[in-house]
Amino acid sequence: NAQVDTKVFNAVLSRLDKLEAKANRPGAPGIVQGETAEKKAFSSYLRGGEARMEATEVKALAVANNANGGYLVPPEFGSEILKLLTEMSPLRQYANVQTVTGTDITFPTLLSGVNAFWTEEGGDMTASEPTFGQVKIANHELSSFYVASNKVLEDNAYDLEAVMNRELAEGFAKVEGLAFVKGTGTGQPRGLMTAPGIAEVKTGAAANFPAANPMDVLITMQHAIPSFHARNAVWLMN
């Protein structure tokens, strides 16, 4: 048994030595702790395209076999973009963000709640039932096309994924932030300034606060919100 264990141990050491030597070769990518096969394959695809990928890497990314092909980016890549979006887009942190797969999403709305009534001891109670409605929100796709030079792709010291993440997030954040406020609703979301049914408080001045008592406008706005909702309200200013 001792002899067998020694052989196994030596074989493991030999295997580790070979991996270490391979990792230390010039131009060899470093071994990243916990790196998934999908992430490694995606990195290879970014720098060399499908032509330079190994068969196992293509298999790790491929999700479609149609004429155009299809590849799935690692979850870490998309998660990083979404995290950066939250940092760059002030309105997103106050939005109700949900993951959906359809072209629209339907939310139930409470039109009237349950009422309570004072009742005498032993008296009959008055029935009260809430009424519900629905609101349908269309989902619109926001896309971008990223181009990098061959020089950048061949530079192993250049953190391509990190730069792509930040630049894509910045591009998305600018367009998304504008849609939050002034989206037209045609091919894009409807913004706060264009959506119907949102109450407004007029300042009385076209491009400014009134010269006399400008704080009155803000105070009026704050007290115009029902108390139940006002506790969660925030100020958003340019």
Side-chain angles (χ1 to χ4, degrees), residues 7-238:
K7 290 182 179 180
V8 173
F9 182 72
N10 290 335
V12 172
L13 286 180
S14 176
R15 176 63 176 167
L16 290 175
D17 289 340
K18 290 179 181 179
L19 289 174
E20 184 178 4
K22 184 178 180 180
N24 290 331
R25 291 172 187 168
I31 298 176
V32 180
Q33 186 69 24
E35 185 177 39
T36 62
E38 292 83 359
K39 194 173 187 300
K40 181 177 180 295
F42 184 62
S43 180
S44 299
Y45 177 74
L46 288 180
R47 293 191 179 278
E50 183 178 350
R52 297 185 181 181
M53 294 173 64
E54 298 178 1
T56 54
E57 293 177 332
V58 174
K59 185 178 179 180
L61 285 183
V63 294
N65 294 320
N66 52 34
N68 297 323
Y71 295 97
L72 183 68
V73 300
E76 302 93 335
F77 189 82
S79 299
E80 182 65 20
I81 293 179
L82 292 176
K83 185 181 73 175
L84 292 173
L85 269 179
T86 303
E87 294 176 358
M88 298 174 184
S89 181
L91 283 172
R92 172 176 270 267
Q93 61 186 305
Y94 300 112
N96 181 6
V97 180
Q98 297 193 20
T99 302
V100 296
T101 56
T103 57
D104 54 58
I105 182 172
T106 301
F107 290 99
T109 58
L110 183 64
L111 300 179
S112 63
V114 174
N115 294 321
F117 305 92
W118 295 108
T119 307
E120 296 291 340
E121 183 69 26
D124 294 334
M125 291 184 291
T126 304
S128 176
E129 295 182 2
T131 57
F132 297 91
Q134 288 184 339
V135 58
K136 181 178 290 187
I137 299 177
N139 297 321
H140 302 280
E141 182 175 328
L142 186 61
S143 60
S144 180
F145 190 83
Y146 190 93
V147 178
S149 68
N150 288 332
K151 184 177 180 180
V152 170
L153 296 177
E154 293 172 357
D155 187 356
N156 288 329
Y158 188 79
D159 193 347
L160 180 61
E161 291 185 40
V163 174
M164 283 183 62
N165 274 330
R166 179 158 292 277
E167 292 188 1
L168 287 172
E170 287 181 359
F172 285 138
K174 291 177 183 177
V175 178
E176 182 187 71
L178 181 61
F180 269 127
V181 179
K182 298 180 65 175
T184 63
T186 303
Q188 59 182 270
R190 192 181 299 277
L192 295 173
M193 303 294 290
T194 56
I198 298 180
E200 298 179 353
V201 175
K202 303 296 183 181
T203 64
N208 206 338
F209 283 99
N213 301 322
M215 290 299 297
D216 288 350
V217 175
L218 301 180
I219 294 173
T220 302
M221 287 182 64
Q222 182 176 357
H223 288 281
I225 305 174
S227 300
F228 181 80
H229 301 291
R231 60 187 178 183
N232 295 322
V234 295
W235 289 102
L236 298 171
M237 299 184 181
N238 186 355

